[in-house]
Amino acid sequence: MKRKLSLSSLHILLLIIGLIWIYPFIWMISASLKKNFELISSGLKLLPEKAQWVNYARAWNEANFSGYFLNTVIITIFTVLIILVMCALTGYALARVDFPGKKLFILVITGTMFIPKGYTIIPIYIIIKQLGLLNTLGGVILAESSGAHVLFILLFMAYFSKLPKELEESAIMDGCGFFRTFWSIMLPLSKPIIATVAIMQFIWTWNSFFIPFVFTLNKPELRTLAVGMYSFVGEHSVDWVGMTAAATISLIPVIIIFIVFQRFFIEGVSGSVKG
Amino acid sequence: MSRLKIITEKKSKPYMSLSPKKVANNKTLRRKRIWWAYLFILPQLLFFLVFTIYPIVMSYVYSVFDWPGIGPLDDFAGLENYTRVLKDPSFWNAFKNTFIYMAGVTLLLLPTSLLLAIALNNVLKKSSVFYRTIFFLPVVTTTAIVGIVMRKVFSSTGVLNEFLMAIGLIDEPHNWLGSPTSAMIILIVIGAWKFFGMMMVYWLAGLQTLPKDVLEAASMDGCNLWQKLRHVIVPILLPVAMVILLLCVSSSLHVFDLVLTLTGGGPYYSTDVVDLYIFRFAFNPDSGLPSMGYASAAGVVFGLAVFAVILLLGWLIRRTKQS
């Protein structure tokens, strides 16, 4: 009896904290449907007098969030694809083949995580500039997929090394070459890892700010949602409801993706502590 | 049984048919596999060399040049950039703020996220996914956008003031982001709120490694939650806790998006952090040309400082574990 009582009081406590926890998002959505003067005068009331969808139209069309949305989608999809391909290939080679230099390769890519790197964004910026890709979506995509994705490589490697050897041998018997074995037999089996990597990278890239900000400084039309938001506030500092409408447009996709696929995401994050 | 058979068969095969042709065949097959493996790691290796190794080397090289980022790299400056960084009071101001932020976030997060993780893992098993989703939600949202939304929430006409006035705690609105101390506190609170879910999931992963029977035995012996925490959970979790602590420290030392969008480093540079300080020199100079060399030197100095902190933490933790 006492246990039950304390359990429900714990529930009540957590529900109250949880409500405060996500209140900023609730407020954001509520404000995005109000009029500007209403936002100031209505105090703590969450429901708008009349839903102002026109705020969304203003953010989408006039403030060019439709363009920012498209840029973000393009950058995110290509970055996820590049990283998926690179990490799956690397993880497979490391898991299935004993090639000379394998230990060294793993040692070096994990080792660079722990050394003081300095301010590496400047050299990356210079490389992208010399490639002539500054202020292009391609430059942002390249910079976003840069570096070694150690966690993802290790996830693929662990998964591929667990698959039985007989599987590969029977594929060879059937006349599959190395690439065919990988592409049509092993890769389809690694769907859970593909999903984890894709979801995690999707969320990171969607949310990334620094790289798209620095790499599109002189090309406003190439801004992503996050960068667009930052400059929107600088340019239209009084339109707070338009700002919250734009923020809602930017956050809703990533929140939905997370809620639907959270299992994969949480597993990936947990993997980084265990590993 | 059948598995064993396959293995023994495989082992005996090469010896059974030692025709020279087969051996040669096997050898070319093996060599072919190795070439395929090299081909497979090639894209990642290229990306790694071009976008990780080269930038690390070059950030050290740039730091000894006076260089605006364009034109030839020919104005060698020796250690001058370094002495200028070390003598600049605004660098040390940003340095101090970064460490205050890190300490604040870490102290707030470590105990609270562990408590909630234990509650979710041991008490609220059925509804843990529901709560996990809620408390993790801020982690997946865009930091830069959260910073902008929060700027409004904590402004003088914002929701926090409305609420505090409605319950009678304050009489007139306070500009929370307008005074140095409260701006830093708000920054820490929002930073902690944003990262809390991540820490909670790290702890949950760590708690999965706890042996259940030991905990049950402790309960049978009449240990309360505190005793269990002190004598069973914490000692077993210590290695995981160390990883979590290091992740929290190193990520909060590199706070950037949130500061730029929430306070811009103000008021009066009271929330300026090192990554923002470096950014201003490299990409957003107040006047004239960017100073890529100086920014690189500041980056190297701070990188070494972070490295030292992490080494020190690792050493401290190892010592407490031994005693």
Side-chain angles (χ1 to χ4, degrees), chain A residues 46-251:
Chain A
L46 279 175
L47 279 180
E49 276 167 29
K50 187 171 168 288
Q52 302 293 321
W53 296 107
V54 64
N55 296 335
Y56 282 88
R58 202 165 62 240
W60 188 254
N61 298 323
E62 281 168 45
N64 195 25
F65 272 80
S66 53
Y68 302 157
F69 196 92
L70 187 68
N71 292 337
T72 311
V73 169
I74 292 173
I75 290 172
T76 306
I77 286 178
F78 278 98
T79 305
V80 168
L81 279 179
I82 291 176
I83 288 175
L84 259 182
V85 170
M86 273 193 322
C87 294
L89 288 174
T90 310
Y92 186 76
L94 292 176
R96 310 297 304 192
V97 187
D98 270 315
F99 57 87
K102 176 168 137 178
K103 283 219 176 86
L104 182 74
F105 181 76
I106 299 177
L107 190 78
V108 171
I109 58 168
T110 44
T112 45
M113 286 169 75
F114 303 105
I115 60 166
K117 295 184 190 61
Y119 199 60
T120 52
I121 196 70
I122 294 178
I124 295 176
Y125 180 84
I126 302 294
I127 294 172
I128 299 287
K129 197 168 137 187
Q130 280 167 351
L131 288 173
L133 292 174
L134 206 59
N135 295 312
T136 66
L137 287 184
V140 179
I141 292 167
L142 216 52
E144 285 282 1
S145 17
S146 70
H149 310 272
V150 180
L151 170 65
F152 296 160
I153 292 174
L154 294 180
L155 279 176
F156 271 115
M157 187 174 133
Y159 193 85
F160 282 130
S161 57
K162 270 189 301 194
L163 296 177
K165 216 174 176 176
E166 291 81 45
L167 208 63
E168 210 181 325
E169 277 165 3
S170 68
I172 294 171
M173 295 285 206
D174 290 346
C176 286
F178 190 81
F179 186 76
R180 274 270 307 279
T181 312
F182 164 73
W183 181 253
S184 43
I185 295 176
M186 307 299 250
L187 192 62
L189 285 173
S190 69
K191 270 186 201 129
I193 306 296
I194 296 178
T196 302
V197 170
I199 301 298
M200 282 185 83
Q201 191 59 47
F202 178 94
I203 292 176
W204 293 151
T205 314
W206 188 277
N207 290 339
S208 126
F209 172 73
F210 189 62
I211 286 178
F213 180 48
V214 168
F215 285 76
T216 64
L217 274 178
N218 304 319
K219 263 268 168 84
E221 64 269 29
L222 292 183
R223 285 170 184 161
T224 58
L225 288 164
V227 181
M229 271 297 288
Y230 181 65
S231 37
F232 178 78
V233 187
E235 287 153 17
H236 309 74
S237 52
V238 272
D239 188 5
W240 284 104
V241 295
M243 181 279 281
T244 50
T248 310
I249 292 172
S250 317
L251 294 187

